Amino acid sequence: MVMVMSVKSANANHVFRALADPTRRAIFEELTRQGEQTVHALTRYARVSQPAVSKHLTVLKRAKLVRHRREGRETHYRAQPDALTPMVDWLDRYGAFWRDRFDRLEDLLERMD
Amino acid sequence: MVMVMSVKSANANHVFRALADPTRRAIFEELTRQGEQTVHALTRYARVSQPAVSKHLTVLKRAKLVRHRREGRETHYRAQPDALTPMVDWLDRYGAFWRDRFDRLEDLLERMD
DNA sequence: CATAACCATAACCATTCGGTTATGGTTATG
DNA sequence: CATAACCATAACCGAATGGTTATGGTTATG
């Protein structure tokens, strides 16, 4: 059982709260799928104004779910899935993992090709 | 890959929203640990008023995270961890599972004893 | 039967939230 | 150098949120 713990994970509270909003989840999903993105690109994707996107990114940042990298006049954001650990841990404790164990294992093995 | 889908799971949105609040999470955790509980008991546990607890339970009910059973003048609530499936699925897609795949598999096998 | 216990709902309130437009700072471009 | 692009912050606003007290309905109890 390897315990990595590279960065101190944000409060579980922050993670749960950050992902409670659908727009924020959409942004995080987009970053996960498409990789690093400019605020401009994210604004085009999300159907809200640029300041709204900026504020959402701030919340995601607080939860450590995204990192940013300034490059000239644009800021590139990328997802930081490590930060989901508190949520995964929570689900380990209170979740339904004990059920479909076999299904999940099967599924896991399948995806490991 | 067995697909059970006994009850139509609530919107993932509802689940994420419901678990965003720490008091609500605490209630759910308590129900998971201690099993079925009266509203009265939960009120004693949570540090808020009885109506507050009732409202939280309503939100959890909407997310199908709890079930209730009336018995005389008291209502017993119990956790329904199945309802966490949407969140688990979401983590499967966007989560950090792809990383420590092996660690998690190892962990899973370990817990299967 | 009167009273108390349990719970849900109503009514209300302060705060937070998610959105907007306005603005300003920094960097690229014509 | 003037202008445009990119982004964050400020200021503001309506709606949602999480809490409270008040109330009323149902069930148990003295």
Side-chain angles (χ1 to χ4, degrees), chain A residues 31-49:
Chain A
L31 286 176
T32 301
R33 281 189 301 257
Q34 309 291 338
E36 204 175 64
Q37 299 272 345
T38 290
V39 174
H40 190 58
L42 289 173
T43 299
R44 238 181 306 113
Y45 173 73
R47 306 300 259 145
V48 291
S49 66

mmCIF file of all heavy atoms in Angstrom, chain A residues 31-49:
data_model
loop_
_atom_site.group_PDB
_atom_site.id
_atom_site.type_symbol
_atom_site.label_atom_id
_atom_site.label_comp_id
_atom_site.label_asym_id
_atom_site.label_seq_id
_atom_site.Cartn_x
_atom_site.Cartn_y
_atom_site.Cartn_z
ATOM 1 N N LEU A 31 -11.456 20.115 -18.617
ATOM 2 C CA LEU A 31 -10.006 20.138 -18.427
ATOM 3 C C LEU A 31 -9.433 18.724 -18.379
ATOM 4 O O LEU A 31 -8.311 18.481 -18.842
ATOM 5 C CB LEU A 31 -9.655 20.886 -17.139
ATOM 6 C CG LEU A 31 -9.810 22.408 -17.184
ATOM 7 C CD1 LEU A 31 -9.535 23.012 -15.825
ATOM 8 C CD2 LEU A 31 -8.885 23.012 -18.234
ATOM 9 N N THR A 32 -10.206 17.821 -17.826
ATOM 10 C CA THR A 32 -9.735 16.438 -17.755
ATOM 11 C C THR A 32 -9.701 15.812 -19.148
ATOM 12 O O THR A 32 -8.729 15.155 -19.519
ATOM 13 C CB THR A 32 -10.663 15.612 -16.846
ATOM 14 O OG1 THR A 32 -10.668 16.193 -15.547
ATOM 15 C CG2 THR A 32 -10.177 14.182 -16.743
ATOM 16 N N ARG A 33 -10.759 16.061 -19.904
ATOM 17 C CA ARG A 33 -10.844 15.460 -21.239
ATOM 18 C C ARG A 33 -9.849 16.082 -22.195
ATOM 19 O O ARG A 33 -9.069 15.392 -22.850
ATOM 20 C CB ARG A 33 -12.258 15.645 -21.805
ATOM 21 C CG ARG A 33 -13.281 14.674 -21.249
ATOM 22 C CD ARG A 33 -14.567 14.797 -22.036
ATOM 23 N NE ARG A 33 -15.100 16.152 -21.962
ATOM 24 C CZ ARG A 33 -16.128 16.506 -21.201
ATOM 25 N NH1 ARG A 33 -16.733 15.620 -20.452
ATOM 26 N NH2 ARG A 33 -16.559 17.748 -21.192
ATOM 27 N N GLN A 34 -9.882 17.410 -22.283
ATOM 28 C CA GLN A 34 -9.116 18.085 -23.328
ATOM 29 C C GLN A 34 -7.737 18.541 -22.866
ATOM 30 O O GLN A 34 -6.979 19.082 -23.666
ATOM 31 C CB GLN A 34 -9.887 19.302 -23.845
ATOM 32 C CG GLN A 34 -11.316 19.006 -24.252
ATOM 33 C CD GLN A 34 -11.387 18.148 -25.505
ATOM 34 O OE1 GLN A 34 -10.443 18.103 -26.284
ATOM 35 N NE2 GLN A 34 -12.497 17.453 -25.687
ATOM 36 N N GLY A 35 -7.441 18.366 -21.617
ATOM 37 C CA GLY A 35 -6.153 18.827 -21.120
ATOM 38 C C GLY A 35 -6.142 20.321 -20.884
ATOM 39 O O GLY A 35 -7.183 20.968 -20.847
ATOM 40 N N GLU A 36 -4.966 20.833 -20.742
ATOM 41 C CA GLU A 36 -4.757 22.240 -20.405
ATOM 42 C C GLU A 36 -5.564 23.176 -21.297
ATOM 43 O O GLU A 36 -5.660 22.949 -22.500
ATOM 44 C CB GLU A 36 -3.272 22.537 -20.544
ATOM 45 C CG GLU A 36 -2.816 23.714 -19.721
ATOM 46 C CD GLU A 36 -1.305 23.876 -19.804
ATOM 47 O OE1 GLU A 36 -0.794 24.154 -20.904
ATOM 48 O OE2 GLU A 36 -0.649 23.714 -18.768
ATOM 49 N N GLN A 37 -6.108 24.209 -20.678
ATOM 50 C CA GLN A 37 -6.983 25.132 -21.399
ATOM 51 C C GLN A 37 -6.788 26.560 -20.917
ATOM 52 O O GLN A 37 -6.537 26.801 -19.750
ATOM 53 C CB GLN A 37 -8.446 24.772 -21.146
ATOM 54 C CG GLN A 37 -8.854 23.402 -21.606
ATOM 55 C CD GLN A 37 -9.308 23.381 -23.033
ATOM 56 O OE1 GLN A 37 -9.574 24.435 -23.600
ATOM 57 N NE2 GLN A 37 -9.374 22.198 -23.627
ATOM 58 N N THR A 38 -6.952 27.443 -21.856
ATOM 59 C CA THR A 38 -6.939 28.865 -21.559
ATOM 60 C C THR A 38 -8.281 29.286 -20.959
ATOM 61 O O THR A 38 -9.300 28.653 -21.230
ATOM 62 C CB THR A 38 -6.721 29.638 -22.869
ATOM 63 O OG1 THR A 38 -5.396 29.417 -23.296
ATOM 64 C CG2 THR A 38 -6.974 31.110 -22.708
ATOM 65 N N VAL A 39 -8.263 30.341 -20.170
ATOM 66 C CA VAL A 39 -9.512 30.865 -19.638
ATOM 67 C C VAL A 39 -10.442 31.235 -20.788
ATOM 68 O O VAL A 39 -11.651 30.990 -20.729
ATOM 69 C CB VAL A 39 -9.256 32.098 -18.751
ATOM 70 C CG1 VAL A 39 -10.568 32.729 -18.318
ATOM 71 C CG2 VAL A 39 -8.420 31.728 -17.549
ATOM 72 N N HIS A 40 -9.865 31.785 -21.807
ATOM 73 C CA HIS A 40 -10.641 32.147 -22.989
ATOM 74 C C HIS A 40 -11.359 30.927 -23.560
ATOM 75 O O HIS A 40 -12.576 30.957 -23.790
ATOM 76 C CB HIS A 40 -9.709 32.738 -24.054
ATOM 77 C CG HIS A 40 -10.424 33.345 -25.203
ATOM 78 N ND1 HIS A 40 -11.343 34.362 -25.055
ATOM 79 C CD2 HIS A 40 -10.370 33.076 -26.541
ATOM 80 C CE1 HIS A 40 -11.807 34.696 -26.247
ATOM 81 N NE2 HIS A 40 -11.254 33.926 -27.165
ATOM 82 N N ALA A 41 -10.630 29.854 -23.751
ATOM 83 C CA ALA A 41 -11.203 28.618 -24.297
ATOM 84 C C ALA A 41 -12.300 28.093 -23.383
ATOM 85 O O ALA A 41 -13.384 27.711 -23.851
ATOM 86 C CB ALA A 41 -10.107 27.571 -24.468
ATOM 87 N N LEU A 42 -12.037 28.111 -22.080
ATOM 88 C CA LEU A 42 -13.023 27.620 -21.123
ATOM 89 C C LEU A 42 -14.275 28.475 -21.149
ATOM 90 O O LEU A 42 -15.389 27.982 -20.996
ATOM 91 C CB LEU A 42 -12.426 27.596 -19.716
ATOM 92 C CG LEU A 42 -11.369 26.519 -19.477
ATOM 93 C CD1 LEU A 42 -10.729 26.698 -18.115
ATOM 94 C CD2 LEU A 42 -11.985 25.131 -19.604
ATOM 95 N N THR A 43 -14.077 29.777 -21.366
ATOM 96 C CA THR A 43 -15.226 30.677 -21.423
ATOM 97 C C THR A 43 -16.101 30.344 -22.625
ATOM 98 O O THR A 43 -17.319 30.370 -22.545
ATOM 99 C CB THR A 43 -14.753 32.133 -21.511
ATOM 100 O OG1 THR A 43 -13.996 32.451 -20.355
ATOM 101 C CG2 THR A 43 -15.949 33.080 -21.598
ATOM 102 N N ARG A 44 -15.438 30.026 -23.741
ATOM 103 C CA ARG A 44 -16.195 29.635 -24.922
ATOM 104 C C ARG A 44 -16.980 28.359 -24.637
ATOM 105 O O ARG A 44 -18.127 28.220 -25.038
ATOM 106 C CB ARG A 44 -15.251 29.429 -26.114
ATOM 107 C CG ARG A 44 -15.591 30.308 -27.310
ATOM 108 C CD ARG A 44 -14.665 30.073 -28.490
ATOM 109 N NE ARG A 44 -13.254 30.200 -28.143
ATOM 110 C CZ ARG A 44 -12.387 29.191 -28.148
ATOM 111 N NH1 ARG A 44 -12.776 27.987 -28.501
ATOM 112 N NH2 ARG A 44 -11.131 29.393 -27.814
ATOM 113 N N TYR A 45 -16.341 27.457 -23.902
ATOM 114 C CA TYR A 45 -16.976 26.177 -23.607
ATOM 115 C C TYR A 45 -18.141 26.326 -22.621
ATOM 116 O O TYR A 45 -19.278 25.978 -22.930
ATOM 117 C CB TYR A 45 -15.936 25.199 -23.055
ATOM 118 C CG TYR A 45 -16.521 23.921 -22.562
ATOM 119 C CD1 TYR A 45 -16.994 22.969 -23.448
ATOM 120 C CD2 TYR A 45 -16.619 23.659 -21.193
ATOM 121 C CE1 TYR A 45 -17.549 21.789 -23.005
ATOM 122 C CE2 TYR A 45 -17.164 22.474 -20.743
ATOM 123 C CZ TYR A 45 -17.630 21.540 -21.644
ATOM 124 O OH TYR A 45 -18.179 20.385 -21.192
ATOM 125 N N ALA A 46 -17.850 26.811 -21.454
ATOM 126 C CA ALA A 46 -18.920 27.068 -20.476
ATOM 127 C C ALA A 46 -19.801 28.152 -21.073
ATOM 128 O O ALA A 46 -19.347 28.982 -21.831
ATOM 129 C CB ALA A 46 -18.315 27.521 -19.159
ATOM 130 N N ARG A 47 -21.058 28.138 -20.760
ATOM 131 C CA ARG A 47 -21.942 29.120 -21.367
ATOM 132 C C ARG A 47 -22.178 30.305 -20.462
ATOM 133 O O ARG A 47 -23.306 30.815 -20.382
ATOM 134 C CB ARG A 47 -23.286 28.460 -21.745
ATOM 135 C CG ARG A 47 -23.118 27.240 -22.612
ATOM 136 C CD ARG A 47 -22.422 27.566 -23.936
ATOM 137 N NE ARG A 47 -23.376 27.675 -25.043
ATOM 138 C CZ ARG A 47 -23.255 28.533 -26.052
ATOM 139 N NH1 ARG A 47 -22.251 29.378 -26.085
ATOM 140 N NH2 ARG A 47 -24.139 28.535 -27.033
ATOM 141 N N VAL A 48 -21.139 30.751 -19.809
ATOM 142 C CA VAL A 48 -21.248 31.913 -18.927
ATOM 143 C C VAL A 48 -20.141 32.904 -19.265
ATOM 144 O O VAL A 48 -19.255 32.609 -20.069
ATOM 145 C CB VAL A 48 -21.143 31.508 -17.445
ATOM 146 C CG1 VAL A 48 -22.363 30.713 -17.019
ATOM 147 C CG2 VAL A 48 -19.867 30.729 -17.175
ATOM 148 N N SER A 49 -20.194 34.054 -18.624
ATOM 149 C CA SER A 49 -19.231 35.117 -18.924
ATOM 150 C C SER A 49 -17.822 34.757 -18.456
ATOM 151 O O SER A 49 -17.630 33.845 -17.652
ATOM 152 C CB SER A 49 -19.675 36.401 -18.241
ATOM 153 O OG SER A 49 -19.597 36.252 -16.847
#
